[in-house]
Amino acid sequence: MPRAVGFSILADLISLFVGRIGGIFVTLLFIPIYSRLLGPEQFGAVAIILSLQAFFLMSDLGLATLISRDTAVARDYRPALHAVVWMRRRAEAILFALATVAAFIALLLPLAWPVWSIDAGMRITLIAYLIALLVATNIIQLSLNSLDLYRVGAIVAVVGAVARGIATIALLRAVPSVSAFLEAQVAVAAVHFAIARKLLERRAALGLVAERLFDMSAIRRLGKRCAPLVLYTLGGAAAVNLDKSIISAFISLKVAGTYFLATTYALVPVGILSGPINSYFAPKVAHAQHVGDPVSEFRLSLMFQLILMCIVVGPSLSLAFQMSDWLMLWLHDPVQVRKVMIIAPVLLAGGALSATGYYPTSYLIAREDNGYLARLSTGAAIGVLIAAPIFAAQENLLGVAWSYFIFYAVGFTGLWLRLGHRVGWLTVCRFLAIAYLMPLAVISLSYFPLYRFATARELSTPLRLLGPMAVATIAGLLACTAALFKADNRLSATEPKEPT
């Protein structure tokens, strides 16, 4: 790989990580502040709102998955790219139309149902428009990534997320209420969406031919393509994000807040670590498949999985085996840490498993194997949404956590089995040996001796936490680099030579 290309890839990946970290900055760093400002009961309500946000960001009618894929495929052909621009505009119109319908119903309910207050209607209205803004902005961010505009996307994501968090905290200090939280979030989200949209349109809509926004035939085609993805995203989103609502219904809002903190910590490998890797490689794999370049596709796939393992495994081991130290740095509350530690290990194991399974998902989406994804997601979601309420009714949080671990494990296994069916079992087994088991073994064997050494010597907290994780990750990166060079040399030797 030429040095210039290598530095370009590194810069793009760093941009994606910066953007993703900024994007979840509110969730990870501002959540403890929200908890202190609002108190347990009101924070429990905010935790439900944040869970609904996450639910709809995942279950977005399949629009983000479809539009980002089509943008990646069409990026070198302007007529096709313009078609995707109009698809995105119609998707935005659908989102805001749905939010308006929800707001209309919520504001009219007090007339028909006296128990429903106008304040509740206003809150639902704010939640509906906040969700529409966040989903539309997420589609734009993924489209920017599909056009290789990683640095632009990172800047917009970081500035928007930090501004939303700071504005929310400022208003909560003056008016500590759920309504104030929503008002600040909606105001800044609207500005964030407008800026991100303008930047994307400047790149993708040059010389755009005018079309009717509400072209019903185009909207029907969009709906037909989205239908299986709706089931896929809805199943995963319902399973992952309705757990807090289930717990609040069967136990209490206060316990739901604790569970929210545990899931936020446990899903760091998915949210911060593996998400940017997927955002970088998934569009490139889709593009290589579309243009019919199997050699580039294999190189990208191998690099995708190897880097994913290096990024996820070391930090996941540290978050699991040094959990009390990490949680104290984050929450600064020994009582809350003890509660979170009861369920976080199980959730972390499931989250780490999910974080290392992005490649088969990306492959199947690129192949438009959406029907299988829908069936897998729906089946796993039905199982966990039956099991979780049963455990919650018994006030068994650990049982709820194990039901979610099984959900992640079933999804992970189903994805790799489908990949084996599509490309051949021998190919998948060889791929897993090189790109999954090898980095897992190298990083684990490097981490545990260093972890025991750091603990026995009672090193300072930063060195004790970061040292074993960093060294193990570097060892994994070196091993994966060697594997990549070996695979690249083998591919180069088998490529047909041009006639001289």
Side-chain angles (χ1 to χ4, degrees):
M1 180 186 300
R3 181 173 296 183
V5 175
F7 279 124
S8 178
I9 292 174
L10 182 60
D12 289 339
L13 286 173
I14 290 172
S15 298
L16 279 168
F17 275 104
V18 170
R20 179 55 65 95
I21 291 170
I24 67 167
F25 197 67
V26 173
T27 302
L28 193 59
L29 297 182
F30 290 169
I31 285 297
I33 304 174
Y34 296 160
S35 179
R36 289 194 293 271
L37 291 173
L38 290 169
E41 292 297 329
Q42 289 200 100
F43 175 71
V46 166
I48 300 301
I49 293 169
L50 292 173
S51 297
L52 287 173
Q53 289 180 21
F55 171 82
F56 283 104
L57 281 171
M58 287 182 66
S59 177
D60 54 7
L61 306 179
L63 294 170
T65 301
L66 183 63
I67 293 170
S68 62
R69 176 207 174 272
D70 283 9
T71 303
V73 168
R75 65 186 181 190
D76 296 329
Y77 184 53
R78 187 154 295 280
L81 186 59
H82 285 177
V84 180
V85 169
W86 279 106
M87 186 186 350
R88 194 202 74 247
R89 289 179 176 181
R90 293 184 180 105
E92 291 169 355
I94 291 169
L95 290 171
F96 289 113
L98 291 173
T100 301
V101 170
F104 182 74
I105 294 171
L107 293 173
L108 285 182
L109 268 180
L111 300 177
W113 190 23
V115 177
W116 186 269
S117 68
I118 192 66
D119 287 341
M122 287 300 300
R123 286 186 183 181
I124 296 298
T125 298
L126 289 170
I127 291 171
Y129 280 107
L130 176 60
I131 288 170
L133 286 165
L134 293 176
V135 171
T137 304
N138 185 55
I139 293 172
I140 291 169
Q141 293 284 161
L142 292 174
S143 298
L144 288 169
N145 291 339
S146 295
L147 295 172
D148 291 346
L149 299 175
Y150 304 108
R151 291 157 217 183
V152 173
I155 293 170
V156 173
V158 171
V159 173
V162 173
R164 195 163 70 246
I166 290 173
T168 303
I169 290 171
L171 191 56
L172 288 180
R173 290 189 187 279
V175 187
S177 68
V178 177
S179 295
F181 171 86
L182 288 169
E183 289 164 6
Q185 292 272 309
V186 170
V188 181
V191 176
H192 185 188
F193 166 73
I195 293 172
R197 189 178 191 275
K198 184 174 182 179
L199 290 170
L200 178 60
E201 294 264 314
R202 184 183 297 174
R203 166 63 174 82
L206 293 173
L208 191 66
V209 178
E211 294 184 16
R212 284 190 296 117
L213 182 63
F214 291 100
D215 183 336
M216 296 312 298
S217 62
I219 290 174
R220 282 194 294 271
R221 287 195 301 272
L222 177 60
K224 186 176 180 179
R225 291 187 67 199
C226 282
L229 287 172
V230 169
L231 292 175
Y232 168 60
T233 57
L234 183 63
V240 172
N241 295 294
L242 292 184
D243 48 358
K244 276 71 72 176
S245 300
I246 291 169
I247 289 167
S248 66
F250 285 96
I251 306 177
S252 70
L253 278 174
K254 188 180 294 186
V255 174
T258 299
Y259 191 88
F260 178 80
L261 294 172
T263 54
T264 301
Y265 176 83
L267 295 181
V268 164
V270 178
I272 293 181
L273 302 173
S274 62
I277 301 299
N278 182 60
S279 296
Y280 181 82
F281 281 103
K284 295 185 182 302
V285 170
H287 186 72
Q289 286 184 358
H290 177 73
V291 300
D293 186 352
V295 174
S296 293
E297 182 186 340
F298 180 79
R299 283 175 173 148
L300 287 166
S301 301
L302 187 61
M303 191 181 300
F304 186 178
Q305 189 63 44
L306 285 169
I307 294 177
L308 197 63
M309 296 298 292
C310 290
I311 291 297
V312 170
V313 174
S316 294
L317 290 172
S318 181
L319 290 171
F321 291 93
Q322 297 169 283
M323 184 173 292
S324 60
D325 289 335
W326 282 115
L327 285 172
M328 277 302 298
L329 285 174
W330 181 38
L331 298 175
H332 308 288
D333 183 348
V335 175
Q336 192 74 281
V337 167
R338 285 194 293 272
K339 292 179 181 177
V340 169
M341 284 187 66
I342 295 173
I343 52 178
V346 178
L347 293 171
L348 180 63
L353 199 62
S354 176
T356 57
Y358 266 121
Y359 166 64
T361 306
S362 301
Y363 177 90
L364 295 175
I365 288 173
R367 291 288 186 187
E368 296 200 72
D369 195 357
N370 300 327
Y372 175 79
L373 292 172
R375 294 191 296 273
L376 176 64
S377 178
T378 303
I382 289 172
V384 75
L385 291 176
I386 291 173
I390 293 173
F391 285 114
Q394 300 169 0
E395 300 190 6
N396 183 354
L397 282 183
L398 195 58
V400 174
W402 273 109
S403 67
Y404 275 88
F405 173 82
I406 293 171
F407 165 78
Y408 289 121
V410 168
F412 176 87
T413 305
L415 290 168
W416 284 106
L417 288 175
R418 184 63 170 184
L419 186 65
H421 176 74
R422 292 294 300 259
V423 305
W425 299 108
L426 181 60
T427 300
V428 166
C429 288
R430 289 178 59 191
F431 185 86
L432 284 171
I434 297 169
Y436 202 100
L437 297 179
M438 184 276 290
L440 178 64
V442 170
I443 295 171
S444 299
L445 292 173
S446 302
Y447 172 80
F448 284 110
L450 293 167
Y451 161 64
R452 287 193 290 270
F453 174 82
T455 303
R457 293 298 180 93
E458 298 183 353
L459 301 178
S460 62
T461 299
L463 192 58
R464 188 170 69 252
L465 291 176
L466 299 176
M469 176 179 67
V471 174
T473 300
I474 291 169
L477 285 169
L478 291 173
C480 290
T481 300
L484 279 171
F485 274 116
K486 184 176 180 180
D488 198 52
N489 290 335
R490 187 172 66 250
L491 285 171
S492 299
T494 57
E495 282 182 331
K497 302 293 189 298
E498 293 185 5
T500 58

